[in-house]
Amino acid sequence: MHTIAHAVLLVLAAFGVFVVGYYALINVGYLFLHVLALFELREDVRESRWNPPFRKFSTPFYPGIGIVVPAYNEETTIVESVRSMLALNYPDIEVVVVNDGSTDATLDRLVETFDLATVEAEIPFDVPAADIHDVYRSTTYEELLVLDKDNGGKSDALNAGIWLTDMPLFCAVDSDTIIDRDALLDLVTPFLKEPTTAVAAGGVIRVANGCTIEDGLVTDVSLPGTGLPGLQVMEYLRAFYSGRLGLNRLNGLILISGAFGLFQTETVREIGGYRHDTITEDFDIVVRLHRHLTEQDREYTVDFVPEPVAWTEVPSTRRVLSRQRRRWYRGMVETVITNRSMMFNPRYGRVGTLVMPFFVAAETIGPLIEGLGYVVIPVAWYFGALNLEFAVMFFLLTTGFGVFLSWFGVFSEVWSFNRYDSPWQVLRLLWYGVLENFGYRQWKTLVAWRGLLEYLRGVESWGVMERSGFSTDDE
């Protein structure tokens, strides 16, 4: 019995050492990405200050953009979202709203608000989407097209819009998203600089909860209260102004948010559009573009542009947020497994040899190991298998370094485009950066474990993302 207990203590000690060492390496990688992000951000800020923004209709050379908006039961946000897109400062756009078999008043609100009338439209026979019943065009906004189709999911709805637009570029936008008026002018920049090689570009997503929105535009930027939306503000800042900027510096961007991404239409059609059997179509489509274009030996670029912003309503309850994050995790695991042949494969350049392995280690496996660490290391310390220094080191590597990375994101925000411009807002951001690492971070590891178990059980549902609509109230 004594031998078994001794063996258990050795296992606990070994696992504790492994967890501390693992997170030390992961944090070195995160720090490297954040430093790269600062260099990338410095160049972007300099460029934005020296190049005045494009003025509407001043040049005929901007490529046309089809804004594809999949909408399923989005009656609370669809009108404000479409208004924001119609108000965009861009010379050649077509807003394509795809009503994906909504069972609420989404289509009725669109018809009533924008004076829609049915039109004859040639529907491609090879469109990889469910049946399209009717095509509407607004009698007051000629650039607004609405498709009414059977429900097929977000990927299916995106494909319908991609195949029906004639624009050389398309912008994938969530229906609960508000886009800044000049955002497309900035987001299209990579396609103007490298018109023969640019295939995709992503902008920044920020939290709309608490902001004032009038006529489809964010007129006052405010922070939500110290609840779940406030903690998510920090997550979004860190993800976009540190993580994706760093990956962009490495020419290894593998994720463009499904809420705000610009793509070359024909190239996405080449790979068959968005897959129907994935629940994180934004991650999947970018990885598949990398894979396809590399295998074709084509020169290409996938860029992150830090200046253009789209605003989205984030979940304000733990139940809905957990549902969203479990879906994200399941989709991440599915995409990684589907494209596992790219891992450590020099054929795919930095994406295969560096970016994807680190992504899997940090974002897929990391939360699982961290979650176990919160249980095993205190137990190992309690029974004397590990000394107190190891427990403290684990705490510093997770919670302590997490605060540092969050504040790093705040610094990047204040130093660059600074949407939260009052000292009080900056102080609140710093407070969110501390608060999210005590309770919220640990809860997310539990959500990751639940997401993994759901993936292993074959759960494929999206779940209902409940919306309260854009408002000025703190969520």
Side-chain angles (χ1 to χ4, degrees):
M1 194 71 177
H2 177 74
T3 303
I4 295 175
H6 182 68
V8 170
L9 290 178
L10 285 177
V11 170
L12 288 175
F15 182 77
V17 172
F18 166 74
V19 169
V20 170
Y22 188 90
Y23 252 85
L25 290 175
I26 293 298
N27 284 343
V28 168
Y30 276 135
L31 183 60
F32 177 65
L33 269 184
H34 281 60
V35 171
L36 288 179
L38 278 183
F39 286 105
E40 186 77 358
L41 190 58
R42 181 182 62 180
E43 292 183 7
D44 288 318
V45 170
R46 284 177 177 174
E47 185 175 340
S48 68
R49 288 173 180 170
W50 282 102
N51 293 311
F54 163 76
R55 294 293 178 251
K56 191 174 182 179
F57 307 128
S58 67
T59 175
F61 301 114
Y62 274 62
I65 296 176
I67 304 176
V68 182
V69 190
Y72 176 72
N73 290 352
E74 300 284 357
E75 63 179 358
T76 59
T77 58
I78 190 64
V79 170
E80 288 291 339
S81 183
V82 171
R83 280 178 176 157
S84 77
M85 295 166 203
L86 292 172
L88 289 175
N89 187 21
Y90 196 84
D92 189 12
I93 63 170
E94 180 180 54
V95 179
V96 184
V97 180
V98 184
N99 181 46
D100 191 39
S102 297
T103 57
D104 66 357
T106 297
L107 183 60
D108 293 335
R109 294 210 63 193
L110 289 169
V111 170
E112 178 183 353
T113 305
F114 300 105
D115 298 320
L116 300 183
T118 56
V119 295
E120 293 293 330
E122 184 176 343
I123 299 174
F125 72 91
D126 61 341
V127 56
D131 289 343
I132 299 172
H133 300 299
D134 293 295
V135 179
Y136 301 85
R137 190 169 291 277
S138 171
T139 58
T140 53
Y141 300 93
E142 187 180 354
E143 64 270 34
L144 175 60
L145 191 72
V146 176
L147 313 180
D148 185 32
K149 60 180 286 294
D150 288 339
N151 179 259
K154 184 177 179 180
S155 297
D156 192 272
L158 283 168
N159 286 341
I162 294 166
W163 258 258
L164 263 72
T165 185
D166 294 325
M167 297 297 190
L169 304 178
F170 76 88
C171 185
V173 180
D174 283 351
S175 58
D176 60 339
T177 298
I178 298 294
I179 304 175
D180 276 355
R181 177 162 283 175
D182 288 333
L184 284 184
L185 300 173
D186 296 313
L187 189 58
V188 80
T189 300
F191 295 89
L192 301 177
K193 290 182 175 179
E194 303 289 344
T196 61
T197 58
V199 297
V204 174
I205 305 297
R206 289 182 182 262
V207 174
N209 304 52
C211 295
T212 303
I213 296 171
E214 297 176 355
D215 297 325
L217 296 173
V218 175
T219 57
D220 180 63
V221 176
S222 300
L223 289 169
T226 312
L228 287 178
L231 299 179
Q232 290 171 80
V233 169
M234 276 308 315
E235 288 186 294
Y236 280 65
L237 279 180
R238 189 172 57 248
F240 286 95
Y241 282 110
S242 296
R244 295 189 192 182
L245 270 172
L247 291 176
N248 203 51
R249 188 76 175 183
L250 290 170
N251 296 320
L253 186 66
I254 59 173
L255 178 59
I256 290 175
S257 174
F260 189 37
L262 188 61
F263 298 86
Q264 191 179 78
T265 306
E266 191 54 42
T267 304
V268 171
R269 288 174 181 169
E270 279 180 26
I271 63 173
Y274 289 86
R275 282 176 45 203
H276 292 73
D277 57 346
T278 181
I279 52 175
T280 48
E281 77 297 326
D282 48 2
F283 184 25
D284 175 81
I285 195 73
V286 179
V287 173
R288 285 168 56 219
L289 283 172
H290 278 292
R291 184 170 189 163
H292 171 75
L293 294 169
T294 301
E295 291 173 354
Q296 297 250 322
D297 293 321
R298 285 163 57 178
E299 186 180 353
Y300 71 95
T301 59
V302 175
D303 294 283
F304 173 70
V305 188
E307 189 167 4
V309 172
W311 303 82
T312 190
E313 180 188 359
V314 299
S316 56
T317 66
R318 210 168 40 164
R319 176 175 57 86
V320 177
L321 180 60
S322 173
R323 186 185 301 149
Q324 179 198 63
R325 298 306 172 88
R326 296 198 310 269
R327 175 176 64 82
W328 287 3
Y329 190 87
R330 297 197 315 266
M332 176 173 57
V333 172
E334 187 270 336
T335 299
V336 166
I337 291 176
T338 300
N339 297 281
R340 61 189 178 277
S341 62
M342 296 177 66
M343 293 277 291
F344 301 105
N345 191 335
R347 179 181 183 183
Y348 299 100
R350 290 178 182 174
V351 171
T353 58
L354 181 62
V355 174
M356 286 195 67
F358 178 74
F359 182 86
V360 172
E363 302 296 331
T364 308
I365 301 175
L368 304 178
I369 292 178
E370 181 180 342
L372 288 176
Y374 289 130
V375 176
V376 173
I377 288 181
V379 171
W381 168 74
Y382 180 80
F383 286 104
L386 288 174
N387 57 34
L388 182 61
E389 286 77 6
F390 261 95
V392 172
M393 190 177 300
F394 174 70
F395 175 79
L396 292 176
L397 285 171
T398 54
T399 304
F401 199 76
V403 172
F404 169 75
L405 292 181
S406 295
W407 284 6
F408 205 112
V410 176
F411 169 75
S412 298
E413 148 69 15
V414 173
W415 178 53
S416 59
F417 302 109
N418 199 17
R419 296 301 182 99
Y420 305 109
D421 54 3
S422 78
W424 172 238
Q425 287 180 322
V426 173
L427 287 174
R428 286 179 64 186
L429 286 174
L430 293 173
W431 169 237
Y432 293 159
V434 174
L435 192 62
E436 69 165 338
N437 287 281
F438 293 88
Y440 180 62
R441 179 188 180 116
Q442 292 73 24
W443 174 76
K444 287 194 299 180
T445 66
L446 177 61
V447 170
W449 272 103
R450 288 187 62 187
L452 177 63
L453 294 175
E454 288 179 351
Y455 173 80
L456 295 175
R457 295 202 328 260
V459 175
E460 298 180 353
S461 65
W462 274 61
V464 178
M465 290 296 108
E466 299 168 8
R467 311 287 185 192
S468 59
F470 297 115
S471 68
T472 60
D473 298 328
D474 288 351
E475 300 294 335

